[in-house]
Amino acid sequence: MEARDGCSMPASPLPYSYAALPDDAEAAVVGRGRRTGPLFAALLLTLAAVLLAVAALAGVRLVGELPAGGVVMPNHPMEVMDVRASRGPESGVSEKTSGTAGESGGMLRADAGSNAFPWSNAMLQWQRTGFHFQPEKNWMNDPNGPVYYKGWYHLFYQYNPDGAIWGNKIAWGHAVSRDLLRWRHLPIAMFPDQWYDINGAWSGSATVLPDGRIVMLYTGSTNASVQVQCLAFPSDPSDPLLTNWTKYEGNPVLYPPPHVGEKDFRDPTTAWYDGSDGMWRIVIGSKDERHAGMALTYKTKNFIDFELVPGVLHRVPATGMWECIDLYPVGGARGIDMTDAVAAASNGGGEVLHVMKESSDDDRHDYYALGRYDAATNKWTPLDAEADVGIGLRYDWGKFYASKTFYDPAKKRRVLWGWVGETDSERADVAKGWASLQSIPRTVVLDTKTGSNLIQWLAVEVETLRTNSTNLGSVTVDQGSVIPMSLRRATQLDIEASFHLDPLDVTAVKEADVGYNCSTSGGAAGRGVLGPFGLLVLADARRHGRDTEQTAVYFYVARGLDGSLRTHFCHDESRSSRANDIVKRVVGNVVPVLDGEALSVRVLVDHSIVESFAQGGRSAVTSRVYPTEAIDANAGVYLFNNATGARVTATSLIVHEMDSSYNQNQAEMASL
């Protein structure tokens, strides 16, 4: 959210509203606030052709040029997507079904067919979380338009009001909170009910203008499945809950530019103001004909008329479609407003680094890189070309996608949301009546110690949910040992732990161990001299062993060829459940550990989700897990050390039980 004074915008509110589609499916589609008959449509087509011809003769490139397939008219025959089959890039979106992308880009489908696990109602009910955001029912995916407005945090999200699977009628769900944790669910903010978004009101972003008004840009999938950008705004700006929204009568405000696919143009960012020309700028993700991911910049004075800024903001070969682009400045102490950063740079106030992030349509991961943004040349350049966007760092090495940040002016911080989808089967989702979570809100700052990565940490409000805390002090775990923790309950936890390897054991290791990889080296059962070791969460409290349910959160330390130590931080989901119709993986990556630092981790356990943050937030890993036995009173936590040549000491170990956030629906808000 970028809100600043001294920027030019029309003073009067946009005076438009929109009407819903007629009940009769064969009736003319309502678009731009009026019916369009055949004669009027023909006149518009003729006029458009004349204008294009004149522009071509004059050598003029039209701003917001119509797609190559022709003019998308309000009375175009509806191309409604078939939701019975797998839904993916051919429909102009990422794969939004259960499961995760394989290394080859294909889907690892969480479906055992007729041999699917016989889930009981008790098991399915247990999976619903206590303090993560999720709607009361049905399907949710990308977080949209997060914004702080008149004392309330607003979270919009992609939502299917008709069921627990992704569909072609995706709307904008809406909830508000005072503290990012305890949410009040509001009516749906926007339905896909116009020709320009009839196949889905897809992801977008909010911008707060200098006078306090909000504009929302979002992607619509038209009746011809062309991706266009649309404008909406609050119907009543005085309402702090922003309950009702109005779509601009002149939508869409942007069509795909030339040489960009009609289904490869989506997810506009929050706008920022550039005083050099008195215009606002946004970025939209795309890809080119060579399958290079790219970010395009547009500028506008009024959020209605847009101009494509010459050149490409950034492009990386072979990375495919860039969804949910984000671009923001980052510092080491607190969040930075994008408009402030651009203004400071133009006034010689020093450079700050800018994060560029893309959600990769090829493999469903969120990649980021640190770099420098030059507003004058419309270029973003990575600090390290070998760790560029789409090929280097990731926000999270587990299940985390389509993320979105916003600047929180109340606490001067940048907050990150991410969609955490299911990895079970659609059949199970339908049975339980809901699908998907949002991650715990995370703050994002620059890691000033390394200068090469971000620090993601839980929003401080999370600590208000802590109830009973158990300080287990210092515990030493011998090699090949497992130690149970004595806890009252183990399904909603905030665990803080620090580990220390015996220095003599580390020094004794002379042989290099260069082949370790979280995903391919046997997980927590793959033994090495200096690992794995860590925590077993959602583990069967009645017994332990390789054949019992457990989710391992662990470190693995390996000596490199040059004698240096290399630390891996991983989640092993392979034993998380006896069920056979879920995706179970080992995920993680190398985490930087500086001289003198202990190995530290913070783990959130909330029923079917485990989120972990290593080394103060340098690395994050999120897992969805679905135990069948290690639930309720049968869930436990263990320390383990599976190293063959080192003792490990948990020098600090504190376990906090977590209260539920008790989300409310609109009816319960009457007492507020």
Side-chain angles (χ1 to χ4, degrees), residues 8 273-281 299 301:
S8 60
Y273 182 76
D274 190 327
S276 66
D277 58 6
M279 301 185 78
W280 295 82
R281 282 164 172 74
K299 60 183 180 179
K301 283 186 176 293

Side-chain angles (χ1 to χ4, degrees), residues 589-601:
N589 201 33
V590 174
V591 58
V593 180
L594 305 183
D595 290 342
E597 289 185 341
L599 300 179
S600 64
V601 63

Side-chain angles (χ1 to χ4, degrees), residues 214-280:
I214 290 181
V215 293
M216 193 79 76
L217 291 172
Y218 71 97
T219 297
S221 180
T222 73
N223 52 6
S225 291
V226 175
Q227 292 172 10
V228 296
Q229 311 314 313
C230 307
L231 172 66
F233 44 89
S235 303
D236 179 8
S238 67
D239 174 15
L241 301 183
L242 301 175
T243 307
N244 298 310
W245 287 78
T246 296
K247 296 178 183 179
Y248 171 50
E249 184 190 42
N251 278 334
V253 295
L254 267 176
Y255 289 91
H259 312 301
V260 165
E262 295 177 352
K263 298 180 180 180
D264 302 323
F265 184 64
R266 56 187 178 269
D267 309 333
T269 65
T270 295
W272 68 91
Y273 182 76
D274 190 327
S276 66
D277 58 6
M279 301 185 78
W280 295 82

